[in-house]
């Protein structure tokens, strides 16, 4: 067996060497059905290879859950991906474990100046950049204009308390049974919603010493708010099982008046084929809290980075730079808003989604990050369980959060 | 044969009907979901029987157009088939002589049980070292590499089933053949294997179903159309941002068709195999 | 072909089998053991030797104990239901009635359905807004409003057990049926002539033939249930609030999600050892009853 494999390896190396002289092969890891569909990403990549005929691209698409696993495993095997898509919550872990290449010195001053300031936190850890922001996203408050009109509400809520009030009116008028729907399944999705609320209440995840601070103050109030809306019958109780697609389905079926979701839902709910609420959708930044914040938003972006184990870092960086360049970003602006500040004044970008752009301008500037710690995954898991326990009633919000803080090892 | 009281007969037929319903309804529902329109599936309460049968999702999945979900799905089915046949074929090849040896030499039985112990390892335990090993051999994302791993899972089971099958064949048959001067491989090929055909079919079927069913290793060790199997493909479809339940159901139906058909065709062999050799204490 | 000495010949026949299995299993197993004794963090690096620390820490951790209980609960419910259902169905299929052959053929269906497809199917059935179960129960008047089956800790585990049992009881039934068919007719007939009632017949005539194969089915199903991963991963990922987090899911989390390969490896070994203990226990009982009977 060993003999066979050695000769096979030798053969492959020889072949590889021969091929390397002809062209560079880059392996990229992307997410299937992110803001950009697989077809979109391939189209972007094809345009890149058209301009760089000596580079061949091998793109792989995996569901979100597979993204991190595959990146880590490939790291261990020494051969693997040159370019990887990563979630904003991973640079801390990736950087600490030497997975991503520090590209701080490859980023030109023009790039630095041109990209939205809030976007850089997507790829930063301890002052260094580990990639380029690629998909900017945050959660917005979507609302059904028709339902609000029927209830006699003139404008979407500016505070979370107002949201509750408006939901109550809608519920009392019998327009819909559970006016608010969320994605609170035991997954990263619930942390996104929690973060939005936490930032609204002025809380923080970790204090200046890196110790958990979410079990009191804004963090606690956020969870208490979540529980309160369920108890008051304003939030769809099935939210505990929902991910973003479920929220979209419920909202698009006209079974909710308010929903917190990513940019992608706007076009699909407002104009998609399977939507029953076409043309009725409005979008606003997520509300704030009286006296503490005007709006709230969390950083749900993703970045593209070059791996440390890549054998062609220069070509890989060129690919990343191309994918995140302004022309490419602008061309697909309907799916994901560009990272470049000047794009927001470009009529080609804003056409047809003025509401979205107006909300995005404000929200993207206020994106609040989830904790940047290499142990984020574990912290997130503990928080997810804590939130579920509080929502299910098996634990009070205070106790659940305290348990999570204690178990986090921070 | 005792005569049954009419009441008992009623109980039997009622239970039989209940059993048939329990077995069939979920699968039928899967099929119905795959041909119901999205509107039907979102109705509350559900429309059980779709107004129009909508086969479009099958068209979506059964196309070979490049860069479509259909091509990815068909490639996955192809991969599952290829991995299954490679692994099952190899498993039978190595298991037959081994099972024969153990069957005719009871003192070797402990070795078979020792091999079966490997079945107790949760796949999670070996995943990381296996990944590194496959990577070193350059066999990541290859149907061959996956088949190799599956072979190690299928072989003990196959050997065990075959051993039971061989046990049921009386030794006199080969004794007389040996006296006539036949070699071992001739004995096996001409005499024993035909007699053990039911056990062989059972073993092959078990192995095929196990291989088709495997999810965890396929998830970790394959990455694209070259090797991704149908279990991973359907988990992708169900887990991604596809909100059309009908599409998920259609993918499920297609993914289940090969093992279901094989199961139906060979179920008689299973029962025969289990009865003849199989599972005696 | 070189003449292999007769005593070694059987082992020569075993050789391919041994090579194939041990070749793929031994080194990874060795590596897992060495990982379990280290504090290896990131999946691929090797850490420092820490001896039995991982084992001690995990055995004492609440997460492990909860996962163990969940796994034990799942195993008990699943295997128990499969055995009971399996025997009942085997008894039914052993009777003569029209359509029996067809029914036996249909029994293959749940078992042949791939685990992942089964998990997805039931997840769709249990969907709190659009699922078939809610709809059916509502229309039958059993419930008065839609329920969330996979979203409540109590019902989530039961719901998954139902899905698992549905898939697996047929194989237990078929094994039982094969055993029932090996009961000699004369003995059975004689028992009837002797005036033995149905229960006595079951206990003294049928059970001895049923016990062995059922025991094997029990061992197989217990091992499978203890290792369970696929169905839980696809249906609930271990939620809600970790109430369906079984040992394999915990191992996956430790090794992959939380980056503690060493700790994950130790958990995996604990599970393996426990499964081996269970299986040996069964085999011992089987041996003893075989000797007696």
């Amino acid at each position: 067996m060993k003999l066979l494999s050695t000769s096979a390896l030798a053969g492959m190396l020889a072949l590889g060497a021969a091929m390397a002289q002809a062209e560079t092969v880059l392996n990229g890891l992307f997410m299937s059905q992110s803001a950009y569909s697989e077809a979109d990403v391939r189209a972007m990549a094809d345009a890149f290879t058209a301009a760089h005929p000596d580079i061949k691209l091998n793109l792989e698409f995996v569901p979100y859950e597979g993204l991190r696993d595959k990146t880590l495993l490939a790291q261990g095997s020494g051969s693997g991906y040159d370019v990887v898509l990563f979630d904003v919550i991973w640079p801390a872990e990736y950087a600490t474990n030497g997975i991503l290449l520090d590209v701080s010195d490859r980023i030109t001053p023009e790039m630095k100046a041109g990209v939205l300031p809030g976007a850089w936190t997507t790829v930063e850890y301890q002052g260094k950049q580990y990639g380029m922001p690629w998909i900017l996203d945050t959660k917005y408050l979507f609302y059904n204009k028709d339902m609000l009109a029927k209830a006699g509400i003139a404008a979407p809520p500016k505070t979370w308390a107002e949201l509750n009030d408006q939901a109550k009116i809608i519920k009392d008028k019998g327009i819909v049974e559970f006016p608010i729907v969320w994605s609170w399944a035991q997954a990263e999705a619930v942390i996104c919603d929690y973060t939005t609320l936490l930032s609204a209440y002025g809380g923080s995840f970790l204090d200046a010493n890196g110790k958990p601070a979410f079990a009191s103050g804004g963090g606690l109030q956020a969870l208490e708010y979540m529980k309160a809306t369920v108890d008051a019958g304003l939030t769809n109780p099935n939210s505990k099982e929902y991910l973003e697609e479920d929220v979209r389905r419920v909202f698009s079926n006209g079974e909710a008046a308010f929903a917190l979701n990513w940019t992608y839902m706007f076009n699909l709910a407002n104009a998609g084929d399977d939507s029953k609420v076409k043309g009725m959708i409005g979008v606003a930044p997520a509300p704030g809290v009286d006296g503490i914040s005007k709006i709230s938003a969390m950083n749900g972006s993703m970045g593209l980075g070059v791996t440390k184990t890549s054998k062609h870092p220069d070509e890989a960086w060129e690919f990343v730079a191309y994918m995140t360049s302004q022309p490419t970003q602008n061309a697909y602006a309907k799916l994901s808003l560009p990272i470049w500040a000047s794009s927001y004044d470009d009529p080609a970008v804003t056409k047809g989604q003025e509401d979205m752009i107006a909300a995005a301008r404000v929200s993207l500037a206020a994106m609040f990050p989830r904790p940047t710690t290499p142990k984020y995954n574990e912290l997130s898991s503990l928080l997810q369980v804590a939130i579920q326990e509080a929502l299910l009633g098996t634990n009070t919000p205070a106790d659940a959060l305290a348990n999570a803080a204690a178990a986090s090892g921070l | 044969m005792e005569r049954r009281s009419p009441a008992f007969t009623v109980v039997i037929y009622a239970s039989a009907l209940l059993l048939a319903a329990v077995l069939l309804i979920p699968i039928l529902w899967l099929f119905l979901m795959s041909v119901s329109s999205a509107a039907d599936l979102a109705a509350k309460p559900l429309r059980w029987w779709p107004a129009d049968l909508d086969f479009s999702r099958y068209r979506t999945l059964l196309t070979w157009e490049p860069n479509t979900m259909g091509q990815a799905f068909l490639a996955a089915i192809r991969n599952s088939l290829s991995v299954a046949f490679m692994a099952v074929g190899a498993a039978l090849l190595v298991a037959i002589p081994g099972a024969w040896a153990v069957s005719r030499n009871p003192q070797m039985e402990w070795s078979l049980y020792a091999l079966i112990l490997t079945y107790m390892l949760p796949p999670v335990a070996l995943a990381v070292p296996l990944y590194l090993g496959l990577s070193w051999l350059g066999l990541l994302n290859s149907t061959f590499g996956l088949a190799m791993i599956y072979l190690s899972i299928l072989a003990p089971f196959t050997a065990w089933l075959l051993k039971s099958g061989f046990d049921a064949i009386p030794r006199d048959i080969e004794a007389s053949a040996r006296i006539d001067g036949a070699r071992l491989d001739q004995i096996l090929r001409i005499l024993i294997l035909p007699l053990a055909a039911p056990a062989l079919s059972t073993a092959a079927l078990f192995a095929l179903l196990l291989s088709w069913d495997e999810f965890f290793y396929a998830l970790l060790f394959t990455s694209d159309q070259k090797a991704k199997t149908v279990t991973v493909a359907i988990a992708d479809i169900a887990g991604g941002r596809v909100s059309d339940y009908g599409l998920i159901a259609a993918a499920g139906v297609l993914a289940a068709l090969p093992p279901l058909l094989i199961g139906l065709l060979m179920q008689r062999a299973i029962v025969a195999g289990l009865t003849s050799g199989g599972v005696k204490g | 072909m070189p003449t292999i000495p007769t005593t070694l010949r059987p082992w020569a026949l075993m050789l391919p089998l041994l090579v194939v299995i041990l070749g793929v299993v031994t080194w990874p197993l060795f590596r897992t053991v060495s990982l379990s004794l280290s504090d290896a963090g990131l999946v691929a690096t090797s850490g420092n030797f820490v001896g039995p620390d991982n084992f001690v820490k995990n055995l004492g951790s609440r997460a492990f104990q909860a996962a163990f209980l969940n796994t034990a609960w799942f195993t008990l419910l699943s295997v128990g239901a499969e055995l009971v259902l399996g025997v009942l169905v085997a008894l039914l299929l052993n009777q003569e009635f029209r359509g029996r052959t067809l029914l036996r053929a249909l029994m293959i269906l749940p078992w042949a359905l791939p685990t992942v497809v089964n998990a997805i199917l039931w997840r769709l059935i249990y969907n709190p807004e659009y699922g078939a179960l809610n709809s059916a129960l509502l229309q039958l008047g059993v419930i008065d409003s839609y329920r969330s089956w996979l979203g409540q800790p109590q019902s989530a585990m039961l719901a998954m057990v139902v899905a698992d049992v549905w898939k697996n009881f047929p194989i237990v039934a078929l094994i039982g049926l094969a055993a029932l068919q090996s009961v000699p007719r004369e003995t059975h007939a004689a028992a009837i002539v002797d005036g033995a009632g149905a229960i006595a017949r079951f206990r003294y005539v049928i059970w001895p033939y049923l016990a062995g194969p059922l025991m094997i089915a029990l061992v197989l199903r217990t091992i499978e249930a203890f290792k369970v991963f696929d169905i839980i991963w696809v249906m609930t990922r271990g939620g809600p609030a970790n109430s369906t987090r079984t040992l394999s899911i915990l191992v996956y989390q430790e090794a992959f999600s939380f980056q503690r390969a060493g700790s994950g490896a130790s958990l995996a070994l604990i599970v393996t050892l426990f499964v081996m203990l269970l299986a040996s226990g069964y085999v011992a009982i089987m041996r003893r009853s075989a000797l007696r009977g």
Side-chain angles (χ1 to χ4, degrees), chain B residues 27-28 30-31 34-35 55 58 61-62 73-74 77 80-81 205 208-209 212-213 230-231 234 248-266, chain C residues 108-118:
Chain B
I27 298 183
L28 235 64
L30 185 67
F31 176 70
S34 71
V35 294
F55 283 95
Y58 287 102
L61 287 172
L62 289 176
F73 191 72
L74 284 178
I77 293 199
S80 279
L81 280 172
L205 179 59
L208 207 110
L209 286 172
W212 192 271
D213 200 50
V230 77
T231 43
I234 191 181
I248 300 176
V253 169
L254 289 174
L257 266 182
L260 282 180
L261 286 175
I262 296 179
L264 279 175
L265 283 172
M266 297 189 77
Chain C
I108 265 304
L109 291 179
W111 181 64
L113 194 69
T115 313
V116 178
V117 179
N118 186 45

Side-chain angles (χ1 to χ4, degrees), chain B residues 61-64 68-85 141 143 146 150 211-214 218 222-237 251 254-256 258-259:
Chain B
L61 287 172
L62 289 176
T63 161
W64 196 251
T68 56
M69 187 188 289
Q71 190 201 31
F73 191 72
L74 284 178
I77 293 199
R78 175 203 66 202
N79 292 333
S80 279
L81 280 172
S82 130
V83 169
F85 278 118
N141 198 38
T143 49
L146 203 59
Y150 283 10
S211 167
W212 192 271
D213 200 50
E214 208 283 329
T222 66
S223 32
D224 65 21
Q225 283 190 25
K226 272 192 294 180
K228 204 183 269 204
T229 58
V230 77
T231 43
V232 183
I234 191 181
D236 278 354
I237 293 181
L254 289 174

Side-chain angles (χ1 to χ4, degrees), chain A residues 65 68-69 72-73 75-77 93 97 99 186 236 238 240-242 246 249-250 253 255 375 377-378 381 385 388-389 392 394 403, chain C residues 42-44 62 126-130 147-153 233 237-243 252-254 256-260:
Chain A
E65 295 78 26
R68 181 173 161 277
D69 291 343
L72 293 173
L73 276 176
Q75 165 84 352
S77 71
E93 183 184 40
N97 289 312
I99 297 182
Q186 186 176 325
N236 190 325
N238 292 328
K240 287 193 260 64
E241 270 180 73
Y242 284 164
D246 305 299
R249 193 178 312 110
V250 170
N253 267 344
E255 289 164 13
K375 288 196 171 204
N377 240 52
E378 197 167 346
S381 268
V385 177
Q388 284 261 311
E389 285 175 353
L392 287 165
T394 52
N403 284 345
Chain C
L42 180 56
V43 150
R62 269 185 41 205
Y126 288 134
N127 187 293
E129 295 274 343
Y130 309 111
R147 291 251 303 256
S148 163
W149 304 97
L150 293 175
Q152 301 283 343
W233 185 253
R237 287 279 156 83
N242 284 342
S243 57
Y252 180 87
Q253 272 190 341
E254 273 293 300
F256 290 84
S257 299
F258 300 162
Q259 298 280 302
R260 291 197 288 259

Side-chain angles (χ1 to χ4, degrees), chain A residues 254-278:
Chain A
E255 289 164 13
F258 297 103
L260 206 64
N261 211 340
W262 308 100
T263 310
Y264 89 105
M265 182 162 102
F266 183 66
N267 284 319
L268 286 174
N270 209 20
D273 289 325
D274 58 350
S275 169
K276 298 208 180 89
V277 296
K278 271 195 259 222

Side-chain angles (χ1 to χ4, degrees), chain C residues 96-127:
Chain C
E96 295 217 354
F97 57 88
R98 295 219 340 239
R100 179 173 76 166
T101 336
L102 177 62
L103 199 51
R104 284 190 192 174
L106 289 180
M107 288 282 284
I108 265 304
L109 291 179
W111 181 64
L113 194 69
T115 313
V116 178
V117 179
N118 186 45
I120 291 174
L121 167 62
W122 285 94
R123 205 177 74 188
L124 290 174
I125 291 179
Y126 288 134
N127 187 293

